[in-house]
Amino acid sequence: MAQLVSRQEREALNNEIWKIADDMRGSVDGWDFKSYVLGAMLYRFLSEHLTDYVNAPDPEINYASRSEEIPEEIRRQLIEEIGYFIPPTSLFESVCKRLRERKISSLDEELTKIFQEIISSTVDATSHDVFKGLFDDFNVNSNKLGGNPENRRKRLEALLFGVEAMDLRGYKDGAGDAFGDAYEFLMKMYASNAGKSGGEFYTPADVSELLARLAINGRTDVRDVYDPACGSGSLLLKVALALKNADGVVDTSNLCFNGQEINVTTYNLCRINMILHGVSYTNIHIFLGDTLIAPEFYGDPEKKFDVIVSNPPYSIKWNQDGDDNLLKDPRYSPAGVLAPKGKADLAFVLHSLYKLSPQGAAAIVCFPGIMYRGGAEQKIRKYLVDNNYVDCVIQLPSNLFFGTSIATCILVLRKNKKVDDRFLFIDASNEFIKVTNNNRLTPENIERIYQTYHKREESEYFSRLVTMEEIQEHDYNLSVSSYVEQRDTREKVDITALNAEIKEIVAREERLREAIDQIVAQIEGRR
């Protein structure tokens, strides 16, 4: 029975995990070494998950100690039920045991063989798309691990023993197994140390939670969640956390995670993230490719999503070769114009709108420039406003994301605003606390923003409901500052008191001059 771990215990565990991960990398850059640490964690998780699954009916089975060959029928059954197979001698704990006994002559060859075995076991199985390529970034022959075979072996041994030492069994944090929590913590640490590149694949947990709550908006019947630029998948998983039941239990058994990622390394990290969080391979639908040009779900026009969350890359270039064909694309054609070639932000917005179900909501982190720039972007905003698809625009504080200090915003889209044609604007630019080099949203900040959105409340200097006519009068400018009055934080001056003070100063100056004149006259009289 897993023991619930307190916040303090979880933080202590995470700090110990980071110390192990940081120590074992030696001189290797943490960003480069992340694939090895996370790959080793995946190997350990898959081994223990399979062992627990086999031993569940009877712990006496002790799968890891079996020396005889596993019957093909059982092997096929395991692949069908959990998605993969690892023979007892290839389990993580078996390899670590043999390493300590000095029974492995070539560790790089042994790991290469085992990883190939795991992936090969999924060939011709329905799980293959989830598992293929998961260990591709775990290059045992990379010079990053050492300049010669002996140094690489030492680093690999340290890696396996370090991951083995991580206390990842028997605890739950209320949101998933310790494996998933450790993954999230390591990703955050790697991202915070990676500069700009870190922000490209990781959305901070506080922002992810806010996006998830905005998109769900109190619903309990969500069965699919989608992110068209899913990065490492952390944002998708926050939706599961936001759907936890009254007992705080997160159940991912009936929730499908859908997404697409253009970067192959991040695509692998996303699937690893899902697996380490205990998501069944049957519920993982993550694809590799360019969402804007070749969306994976585009072939199924009926595939719509009730919940869409996304933090797409800001103002990137996108391939518009063959503009005529793209203008005929049903994702972009209703707007009558394409997003600029050098600024794909609104292309992601239009794609998300297209994949949104009539009863659903999409919460998207946006670069602020798309809310006020002219040209094609203004025409797209006009389409969104005139069709009443914009539900809310939220101005976020600056410096929330790794690698950039810009103050981003959140755009919430809905297709079912038939009754209310007003648009909610929320200025949450001051809703944060300072944590080291970044700003963070506290639970109280998140709650205030969400409740204001959920109740569609107006609050002086914080939120305002705006009519379509007013936005049209502002040339479809959707910047929050255009509609929510800024609080005047300058110190107010009491004019009456100020005049009295000036009058007193002038009077004191006159008395001082008279005194000086008397002193001068006395001095001259003595001469």
Side-chain angles (χ1 to χ4, degrees), residues 369-433:
I370 70 168
M371 298 299 174
Y372 58 80
R373 290 189 299 233
E377 291 178 313
Q378 183 186 40
K379 293 179 181 177
I380 294 173
R381 293 197 305 273
K382 181 179 186 301
Y383 162 71
L384 296 174
V385 170
D386 288 349
N387 286 278
N388 201 22
Y389 292 141
V390 176
D391 192 31
C392 181
V393 182
I394 303 169
Q395 179 63 56
L396 293 176
S398 62
N399 209 28
L400 286 179
F401 295 86
F402 299 120
T404 179
S405 60
I406 62 171
T408 56
C409 55
I410 295 175
L411 175 65
V412 183
L413 301 175
R414 286 188 179 276
K415 289 181 175 177
N416 60 347
K417 291 177 57 191
K418 294 180 180 178
V419 177
D420 190 353
D421 64 352
R422 295 176 300 170
F423 304 78
L424 180 63
F425 290 85
I426 299 175
D427 183 0
S429 57
N430 294 315
E431 294 292 311
F432 68 91
I433 60 169

Side-chain angles (χ1 to χ4, degrees), residues 206 210-211 213-214 392-397 400 410 412 424 426-432 441-457 462-463:
D206 49 349
L210 176 59
L211 287 167
R213 293 188 65 184
L214 292 169
C392 181
V393 182
I394 303 169
Q395 179 63 56
L396 293 176
L400 286 179
I410 295 175
V412 183
L424 180 63
I426 299 175
D427 183 0
S429 57
N430 294 315
E431 294 292 311
F432 68 91
L441 302 174
T442 66
E444 293 75 22
N445 296 144
I446 294 171
E447 185 68 15
R448 185 187 185 198
I449 296 168
Y450 170 70
Q451 289 299 336
T452 300
Y453 168 76
H454 180 67
K455 298 175 182 178
R456 295 185 72 75
E457 291 179 333
F462 186 70
S463 61

Side-chain angles (χ1 to χ4, degrees), residues 67-98:
S67 57
E68 68 272 20
E69 187 174 340
I70 303 299
E72 180 61 22
E73 181 181 350
I74 294 178
R75 179 181 177 276
R76 288 200 305 267
Q77 181 181 350
L78 286 171
I79 294 171
E80 181 180 347
E81 293 176 359
I82 65 173
Y84 63 95
F85 175 77
I86 306 174
T89 55
S90 296
L91 294 169
F92 181 89
E93 66 175 278
S94 301
V95 170
C96 289
K97 181 175 182 293
R98 285 189 286 136

Side-chain angles (χ1 to χ4, degrees), residues 203-307:
T203 303
D206 49 349
V207 181
S208 296
E209 180 183 344
L210 176 59
L211 287 167
R213 293 188 65 184
L214 292 169
I216 294 170
N217 198 25
R219 295 184 56 170
T220 58
D221 59 345
V222 177
R223 293 294 175 263
D224 275 283
V225 56
Y226 175 55
D227 184 347
C230 59
S232 63
S234 299
L235 181 48
L236 284 169
L237 286 162
K238 276 297 179 184
V239 173
L241 184 60
L243 288 168
K244 63 184 177 183
N245 63 26
D247 296 325
V249 176
V250 178
D251 181 11
T252 61
S253 60
N254 294 317
L255 183 62
C256 287
F257 299 89
N258 307 272
Q260 192 162 346
E261 172 56 38
I262 195 171
N263 181 285
V264 65
T265 296
T266 313
Y267 162 68
N268 291 336
L269 289 173
C270 180
R271 291 177 295 151
I272 291 174
N273 195 3
M274 299 287 170
I275 293 169
L276 290 179
H277 275 85
V279 180
S280 168
Y281 76 89
T282 58
N283 290 346
I284 300 174
H285 306 290
I286 306 298
F287 298 92
L288 178 66
D290 188 335
T291 298
L292 300 181
I293 304 301
E296 185 63 34
F297 293 106
Y298 181 57
D300 180 5
E302 301 304 318
K303 188 66 177 179
K304 305 292 183 180
F305 300 97
D306 289 347
V307 172

Side-chain angles (χ1 to χ4, degrees), residues 42 83 115 118-120 122-123 125-136 264 267-269 271-272 275 286-288 296:
L42 174 66
F115 294 160
I118 296 173
I119 304 305
S120 294
T122 70
V123 175
T126 55
S127 60
H128 185 58
D129 284 342
V130 174
F131 285 88
K132 65 181 180 182
L134 282 183
F135 294 102
D136 282 358
V264 65
Y267 162 68
N268 291 336
L269 289 173
R271 291 177 295 151
I272 291 174
I275 293 169
I286 306 298
F287 298 92
L288 178 66
E296 185 63 34

